[in-house]
C-alpha cells in the first residue's frame, strides 16, 4: 500500500485511449493522475486493484460542431448517434450541456428495445400518446421500466436526475433478465453525498457504479439529485450497452 504505480496506455494505430479506470476490491474508483502521453500514476490502496482500459477508433468525422475532438464525451456521442439512440438538437449540434428530460430517457430505452407497440390505454394524465414520447412512456410504464410521481403524473418534460436515470436503466436491465447482482457488494456509503440518494434508487446506484455504467461526479460525490446532461447520458448509455447489453 501507498506505493506509486505507473500505467502506460499504448493504443494500436488508428485507435486512442477512451477510458482508463482503476478500482479497489470494493469497486470504488482509485484516483488517477494524468502525466500526459498516455501515462498515468496512482497510489496503491491496501487491497487488490482492477485495471480496465478501453480504446476507441479515432473519429474522422463528427457531425456535431459542438463536440470537440478529445472531449470526455466524444466517443459516447458518436456511439449513441451512430446506434440511433440519440439524435442531435440540430443537424450540426448535439448540445452536450443541455438537460435531458424523463420522456427522452424513456424514448431511448424504447428505441433500444426496438420500439415495441404499447397498450392503447393511457397510464398518465400528462402523457399524450400522440406525442413523440407517448408510446415510449406508455410501454416503459406498462413493463415497470419507469414509474410516475403518483397522482397519475409522469412529468415527461421534467429534467431527469442522475438517480432517476440509473433507476430506469436498472429496471430495464431487470426487465431484460440481465444480471444486476454485481453491485450488491459495491460500497457507495463512502461517497460524501450518499444521504442525498433516495432510498428507492440505492440498489440501482450500487449496480450502475459496480458495473462501470456510471461514475461519480468526483472521487467523493455521486450527485444523485443533479440533472443528467446530454453528454453524461451519452456516456452512461454507451457504458450500459458495452458492459451489459452486448455482453
Amino acid at each position: 500500500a501507498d506505493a506509486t504505480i505507473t500505467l502506460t496506455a499504448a493504443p494500436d494505430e488508428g485507435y486512442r485511449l477512451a477510458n482508463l479506470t482503476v478500482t479497489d476490491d470494493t469497486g470504488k474508483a482509485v484516483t488517477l493522475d494524468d502525466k500526459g502521453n498516455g501515462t498515468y500514476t496512482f497510489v496503491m490502496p491496501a487491497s487488490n486493484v482492477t485495471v480496465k482500459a478501453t480504446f476507441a477508433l479515432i473519429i474522422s468525422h463528427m457531425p456535431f460542431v459542438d463536440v470537440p475532438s478529445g472531449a470526455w464525451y466524444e466517443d459516447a456521442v458518436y456511439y449513441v448517434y451512430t446506434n440511433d439512440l440519440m439524435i442531435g438538437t440540430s443537424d450540426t449540434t448535439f448540445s452536450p450541456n443541455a438537460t435531458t428530460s424523463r420522456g427522452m430517457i424513456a424514448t431511448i430505452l424504447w428505441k433500444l428495445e426496438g420500439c415495441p407497440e404499447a397498450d392503447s390505454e393511457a397510464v398518465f394524465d400528462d402523457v399524450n400518446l400522440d406525442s413523440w414520447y407517448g408510446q415510449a412512456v406508455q410501454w416503459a410504464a406498462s413493463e415497470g421500466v419507469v414509474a410516475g410521481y403518483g397522482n397519475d403524473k409522469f412529468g415527461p418534460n421534467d429534467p431527469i436526475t442522475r438517480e432517476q436515470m440509473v433507476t430506469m436503466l436498472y429496471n430495464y436491465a431487470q426487465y431484460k433478465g440481465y444480471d444486476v447482482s454485481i453491485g450488491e457488494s459495491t460500497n457507495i456509503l463512502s461517497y460524501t453525498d450518499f444521504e442525498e440518494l433516495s432510498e428507492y434508487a440505492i440498489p440501482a446506484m450500487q449496480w450502475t457504479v459496480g458495473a462501470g455504467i456510471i461514475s461519480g461526479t468526483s472521487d467523493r460525490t455521486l450527485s444523485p439529485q443533479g440533472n443528467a446532461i446530454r453528454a453524461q447520458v451519452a456516456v452512461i448509455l454507451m457504458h450500459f450497452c458495452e458492459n451489459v447489453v452486448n455482453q
Side-chain angles (χ1 to χ4, degrees), residues 126-208:
D126 58 353
V127 174
N128 182 343
L129 295 183
D130 294 327
S131 65
W132 60 267
Y133 54 75
Q135 290 291 308
V137 173
Q138 186 81 346
W139 164 80
S142 65
E143 299 296 346
V145 173
V146 303
Y149 294 135
N151 300 321
D152 298 323
K153 303 296 182 185
F154 179 73
N157 296 312
D158 292 351
I160 195 165
T161 63
R162 286 164 56 84
E163 71 174 15
Q164 288 172 357
M165 180 171 180
V166 299
T167 299
M168 288 186 189
L169 291 178
Y170 181 72
N171 292 342
Y172 178 72
Q174 290 183 307
Y175 162 75
K176 295 293 288 183
Y178 299 141
D179 182 10
V180 295
S181 64
I182 188 170
E184 290 176 355
S185 61
T186 302
N187 179 21
I188 58 174
L189 289 169
S190 59
Y191 289 95
T192 56
D193 56 357
F194 171 79
E195 290 186 356
E196 296 176 18
L197 184 64
S198 299
E199 186 175 353
Y200 76 84
I202 291 174
M205 189 66 77
Q206 282 187 303
W207 171 68
T208 48

Side-chain angles (χ1 to χ4, degrees), residues 3-153:
T4 298
I5 307 298
T6 300
L7 300 173
T8 302
D12 292 337
E13 185 175 352
Y15 287 79
R16 64 180 181 79
L17 179 68
N19 191 41
L20 180 67
T21 59
V22 178
T23 53
D24 64 19
D25 57 8
T26 69
K28 184 181 177 184
V30 177
T31 301
L32 289 171
D33 186 7
D34 187 353
K35 297 298 185 181
N37 297 319
T39 299
Y40 297 80
T41 62
F42 67 92
V43 177
M44 187 71 183
S47 72
N48 293 327
V49 297
T50 300
V51 178
K52 183 177 180 181
T54 55
F55 299 92
L57 276 169
I58 294 174
I59 298 169
S60 58
H61 175 67
M62 170 65 74
F64 306 121
V65 297
D66 56 355
V67 178
S69 178
W72 58 269
Y73 49 82
E74 180 191 14
D75 295 330
V77 169
Y78 190 74
Y79 182 93
V80 296
Y81 173 71
T82 55
N83 284 279
D84 195 32
L85 294 177
M86 295 178 73
I87 60 174
T89 50
S90 76
D91 289 342
T92 58
T93 57
F94 186 77
S95 303
N97 294 311
T99 56
T100 311
S101 71
R102 288 165 52 83
M104 286 178 187
I105 300 304
T107 302
I108 288 168
L109 294 176
W110 180 65
K111 285 183 176 182
L112 196 59
E113 189 59 18
C115 303
E117 189 171 341
D119 193 325
S120 60
E121 187 174 342
V123 177
F124 301 110
D125 292 342
D126 58 353
V127 174
N128 182 343
L129 295 183
D130 294 327
S131 65
W132 60 267
Y133 54 75
Q135 290 291 308
V137 173
Q138 186 81 346
W139 164 80
S142 65
E143 299 296 346
V145 173
V146 303
Y149 294 135
N151 300 321
D152 298 323
K153 303 296 182 185

Side-chain angles (χ1 to χ4, degrees), residues 159-164 196 217 222-229 232:
I160 195 165
T161 63
R162 286 164 56 84
E163 71 174 15
Q164 288 172 357
E196 296 176 18
T217 48
L222 290 167
S223 304
Q225 303 301 328
N227 292 334
I229 61 173
Q232 292 172 338

